Amino acid sequence: MQRYHFCEIDLAAIRHNVGVMKSHIAGGARFLAVVKADAYGHGAAECAHVIERCGGDMFAVASADEGAALRESGIAGDILVLGISTAEEQKRLHEFDLIQSVASSEYADELGALGYP
């Protein structure tokens, strides 16, 4: 038996939801949207563009490669890489102006040795 799966993304609903969430942000807090894993299969670039146009400031991805793909699609906001980047991916942090999360002082030292602030 074949199963067919269908998922329809309502970009108007995303716009509405971002507006509602931003209305609850106080002071200078920023809005970060997690769009890792291709926005959980919903299309990271398309969702991120809608969110950015609605005032989304920052995006979180799982890897430097995901961050690079967002940059290449034209996303200008800050991009935070949640996962640990391999030595090859660390080069992309600089190239695509990505922010690397750090979970240990050893990893911070490793990044610092490569010139990453």
PDB file of all heavy atoms in Angstrom, residues 80-96:
ATOM      1  N   LEU A  80      22.355  31.963  13.794  1.00  0.00           N
ATOM      2  CA  LEU A  80      23.007  31.234  14.875  1.00  0.00           C
ATOM      3  C   LEU A  80      23.070  29.756  14.520  1.00  0.00           C
ATOM      4  O   LEU A  80      22.044  29.141  14.218  1.00  0.00           O
ATOM      5  CB  LEU A  80      22.215  31.416  16.176  1.00  0.00           C
ATOM      6  CG  LEU A  80      22.648  30.590  17.381  1.00  0.00           C
ATOM      7  CD1 LEU A  80      24.030  31.030  17.860  1.00  0.00           C
ATOM      8  CD2 LEU A  80      21.628  30.716  18.501  1.00  0.00           C
ATOM      9  N   VAL A  81      24.271  29.181  14.577  1.00  0.00           N
ATOM     10  CA  VAL A  81      24.465  27.751  14.339  1.00  0.00           C
ATOM     11  C   VAL A  81      24.401  27.059  15.697  1.00  0.00           C
ATOM     12  O   VAL A  81      25.230  27.324  16.578  1.00  0.00           O
ATOM     13  CB  VAL A  81      25.815  27.472  13.640  1.00  0.00           C
ATOM     14  CG1 VAL A  81      26.027  25.975  13.463  1.00  0.00           C
ATOM     15  CG2 VAL A  81      25.876  28.194  12.303  1.00  0.00           C
ATOM     16  N   LEU A  82      23.417  26.176  15.867  1.00  0.00           N
ATOM     17  CA  LEU A  82      23.225  25.508  17.155  1.00  0.00           C
ATOM     18  C   LEU A  82      24.161  24.320  17.348  1.00  0.00           C
ATOM     19  O   LEU A  82      24.584  24.043  18.458  1.00  0.00           O
ATOM     20  CB  LEU A  82      21.762  25.039  17.278  1.00  0.00           C
ATOM     21  CG  LEU A  82      20.715  26.148  17.248  1.00  0.00           C
ATOM     22  CD1 LEU A  82      19.313  25.551  17.183  1.00  0.00           C
ATOM     23  CD2 LEU A  82      20.856  27.049  18.458  1.00  0.00           C
ATOM     24  N   GLY A  83      24.475  23.602  16.283  1.00  0.00           N
ATOM     25  CA  GLY A  83      25.326  22.424  16.390  1.00  0.00           C
ATOM     26  C   GLY A  83      26.798  22.783  16.376  1.00  0.00           C
ATOM     27  O   GLY A  83      27.188  23.908  16.064  1.00  0.00           O
ATOM     28  N   ILE A  84      27.625  21.810  16.710  1.00  0.00           N
ATOM     29  CA  ILE A  84      29.076  21.990  16.667  1.00  0.00           C
ATOM     30  C   ILE A  84      29.527  21.854  15.220  1.00  0.00           C
ATOM     31  O   ILE A  84      29.146  20.911  14.529  1.00  0.00           O
ATOM     32  CB  ILE A  84      29.780  20.951  17.561  1.00  0.00           C
ATOM     33  CG1 ILE A  84      29.426  21.215  19.022  1.00  0.00           C
ATOM     34  CG2 ILE A  84      31.286  20.975  17.350  1.00  0.00           C
ATOM     35  CD1 ILE A  84      29.935  20.184  19.985  1.00  0.00           C
ATOM     36  N   SER A  85      30.319  22.795  14.760  1.00  0.00           N
ATOM     37  CA  SER A  85      30.795  22.786  13.374  1.00  0.00           C
ATOM     38  C   SER A  85      32.103  22.018  13.262  1.00  0.00           C
ATOM     39  O   SER A  85      33.008  22.187  14.079  1.00  0.00           O
ATOM     40  CB  SER A  85      31.006  24.225  12.887  1.00  0.00           C
ATOM     41  OG  SER A  85      29.783  24.920  12.859  1.00  0.00           O
ATOM     42  N   THR A  86      32.197  21.206  12.227  1.00  0.00           N
ATOM     43  CA  THR A  86      33.449  20.502  11.942  1.00  0.00           C
ATOM     44  C   THR A  86      34.486  21.516  11.471  1.00  0.00           C
ATOM     45  O   THR A  86      34.161  22.668  11.185  1.00  0.00           O
ATOM     46  CB  THR A  86      33.233  19.463  10.831  1.00  0.00           C
ATOM     47  OG1 THR A  86      32.904  20.159   9.619  1.00  0.00           O
ATOM     48  CG2 THR A  86      32.147  18.471  11.188  1.00  0.00           C
ATOM     49  N   ALA A  87      35.730  21.079  11.353  1.00  0.00           N
ATOM     50  CA  ALA A  87      36.802  21.973  10.902  1.00  0.00           C
ATOM     51  C   ALA A  87      36.460  22.574   9.537  1.00  0.00           C
ATOM     52  O   ALA A  87      36.680  23.765   9.305  1.00  0.00           O
ATOM     53  CB  ALA A  87      38.130  21.220  10.841  1.00  0.00           C
ATOM     54  N   GLU A  88      35.917  21.778   8.639  1.00  0.00           N
ATOM     55  CA  GLU A  88      35.543  22.282   7.309  1.00  0.00           C
ATOM     56  C   GLU A  88      34.396  23.279   7.422  1.00  0.00           C
ATOM     57  O   GLU A  88      34.396  24.317   6.768  1.00  0.00           O
ATOM     58  CB  GLU A  88      35.140  21.114   6.397  1.00  0.00           C
ATOM     59  CG  GLU A  88      34.850  21.531   4.974  1.00  0.00           C
ATOM     60  CD  GLU A  88      36.040  22.170   4.271  1.00  0.00           C
ATOM     61  OE1 GLU A  88      37.184  21.794   4.536  1.00  0.00           O
ATOM     62  OE2 GLU A  88      35.790  23.071   3.440  1.00  0.00           O
ATOM     63  N   GLU A  89      33.413  22.986   8.258  1.00  0.00           N
ATOM     64  CA  GLU A  89      32.274  23.899   8.431  1.00  0.00           C
ATOM     65  C   GLU A  89      32.696  25.200   9.110  1.00  0.00           C
ATOM     66  O   GLU A  89      32.110  26.249   8.853  1.00  0.00           O
ATOM     67  CB  GLU A  89      31.168  23.229   9.246  1.00  0.00           C
ATOM     68  CG  GLU A  89      30.453  22.119   8.521  1.00  0.00           C
ATOM     69  CD  GLU A  89      29.488  21.378   9.425  1.00  0.00           C
ATOM     70  OE1 GLU A  89      29.809  21.152  10.614  1.00  0.00           O
ATOM     71  OE2 GLU A  89      28.401  21.030   8.937  1.00  0.00           O
ATOM     72  N   GLN A  90      33.711  25.131   9.963  1.00  0.00           N
ATOM     73  CA  GLN A  90      34.156  26.339  10.669  1.00  0.00           C
ATOM     74  C   GLN A  90      34.618  27.415   9.694  1.00  0.00           C
ATOM     75  O   GLN A  90      34.437  28.597   9.950  1.00  0.00           O
ATOM     76  CB  GLN A  90      35.259  25.989  11.669  1.00  0.00           C
ATOM     77  CG  GLN A  90      34.730  25.222  12.862  1.00  0.00           C
ATOM     78  CD  GLN A  90      35.826  24.671  13.756  1.00  0.00           C
ATOM     79  OE1 GLN A  90      37.006  24.853  13.505  1.00  0.00           O
ATOM     80  NE2 GLN A  90      35.421  23.985  14.811  1.00  0.00           N
ATOM     81  N   LYS A  91      35.148  27.010   8.554  1.00  0.00           N
ATOM     82  CA  LYS A  91      35.545  27.975   7.528  1.00  0.00           C
ATOM     83  C   LYS A  91      34.322  28.741   7.024  1.00  0.00           C
ATOM     84  O   LYS A  91      34.413  29.911   6.694  1.00  0.00           O
ATOM     85  CB  LYS A  91      36.237  27.269   6.371  1.00  0.00           C
ATOM     86  CG  LYS A  91      37.541  26.604   6.744  1.00  0.00           C
ATOM     87  CD  LYS A  91      38.076  25.792   5.585  1.00  0.00           C
ATOM     88  CE  LYS A  91      39.257  24.949   6.030  1.00  0.00           C
ATOM     89  NZ  LYS A  91      39.669  24.012   4.995  1.00  0.00           N
ATOM     90  N   ARG A  92      33.198  28.075   6.982  1.00  0.00           N
ATOM     91  CA  ARG A  92      31.973  28.688   6.471  1.00  0.00           C
ATOM     92  C   ARG A  92      31.397  29.694   7.460  1.00  0.00           C
ATOM     93  O   ARG A  92      30.651  30.587   7.077  1.00  0.00           O
ATOM     94  CB  ARG A  92      30.951  27.610   6.138  1.00  0.00           C
ATOM     95  CG  ARG A  92      31.534  26.617   5.113  1.00  0.00           C
ATOM     96  CD  ARG A  92      30.531  25.719   4.587  1.00  0.00           C
ATOM     97  NE  ARG A  92      30.054  26.387   3.356  1.00  0.00           N
ATOM     98  CZ  ARG A  92      29.076  25.959   2.627  1.00  0.00           C
ATOM     99  NH1 ARG A  92      28.409  24.898   2.972  1.00  0.00           N
ATOM    100  NH2 ARG A  92      28.715  26.594   1.529  1.00  0.00           N
ATOM    101  N   LEU A  93      31.757  29.562   8.735  1.00  0.00           N
ATOM    102  CA  LEU A  93      31.283  30.522   9.738  1.00  0.00           C
ATOM    103  C   LEU A  93      31.710  31.928   9.352  1.00  0.00           C
ATOM    104  O   LEU A  93      30.908  32.864   9.377  1.00  0.00           O
ATOM    105  CB  LEU A  93      31.813  30.166  11.131  1.00  0.00           C
ATOM    106  CG  LEU A  93      31.367  28.835  11.723  1.00  0.00           C
ATOM    107  CD1 LEU A  93      32.115  28.578  13.029  1.00  0.00           C
ATOM    108  CD2 LEU A  93      29.871  28.797  11.932  1.00  0.00           C
ATOM    109  N   HIS A  94      32.989  32.076   8.997  1.00  0.00           N
ATOM    110  CA  HIS A  94      33.515  33.377   8.573  1.00  0.00           C
ATOM    111  C   HIS A  94      32.940  33.783   7.222  1.00  0.00           C
ATOM    112  O   HIS A  94      32.486  34.903   7.036  1.00  0.00           O
ATOM    113  CB  HIS A  94      35.042  33.337   8.463  1.00  0.00           C
ATOM    114  CG  HIS A  94      35.738  33.356   9.784  1.00  0.00           C
ATOM    115  ND1 HIS A  94      35.687  34.427  10.630  1.00  0.00           N
ATOM    116  CD2 HIS A  94      36.517  32.429  10.389  1.00  0.00           C
ATOM    117  CE1 HIS A  94      36.400  34.156  11.709  1.00  0.00           C
ATOM    118  NE2 HIS A  94      36.906  32.955  11.592  1.00  0.00           N
ATOM    119  N   GLU A  95      32.997  32.854   6.301  1.00  0.00           N
ATOM    120  CA  GLU A  95      32.606  33.134   4.919  1.00  0.00           C
ATOM    121  C   GLU A  95      31.171  33.665   4.825  1.00  0.00           C
ATOM    122  O   GLU A  95      30.884  34.554   4.027  1.00  0.00           O
ATOM    123  CB  GLU A  95      32.748  31.857   4.083  1.00  0.00           C
ATOM    124  CG  GLU A  95      32.412  32.016   2.627  1.00  0.00           C
ATOM    125  CD  GLU A  95      32.543  30.705   1.856  1.00  0.00           C
ATOM    126  OE1 GLU A  95      33.023  29.691   2.418  1.00  0.00           O
ATOM    127  OE2 GLU A  95      32.163  30.705   0.682  1.00  0.00           O
ATOM    128  N   PHE A  96      30.275  33.135   5.659  1.00  0.00           N
ATOM    129  CA  PHE A  96      28.864  33.500   5.575  1.00  0.00           C
ATOM    130  C   PHE A  96      28.379  34.307   6.775  1.00  0.00           C
ATOM    131  O   PHE A  96      27.182  34.476   6.956  1.00  0.00           O
ATOM    132  CB  PHE A  96      28.008  32.244   5.372  1.00  0.00           C
ATOM    133  CG  PHE A  96      28.223  31.616   4.023  1.00  0.00           C
ATOM    134  CD1 PHE A  96      29.103  30.567   3.859  1.00  0.00           C
ATOM    135  CD2 PHE A  96      27.566  32.110   2.909  1.00  0.00           C
ATOM    136  CE1 PHE A  96      29.316  30.003   2.617  1.00  0.00           C
ATOM    137  CE2 PHE A  96      27.768  31.560   1.660  1.00  0.00           C
ATOM    138  CZ  PHE A  96      28.647  30.495   1.510  1.00  0.00           C
TER     139      PHE A  96
END
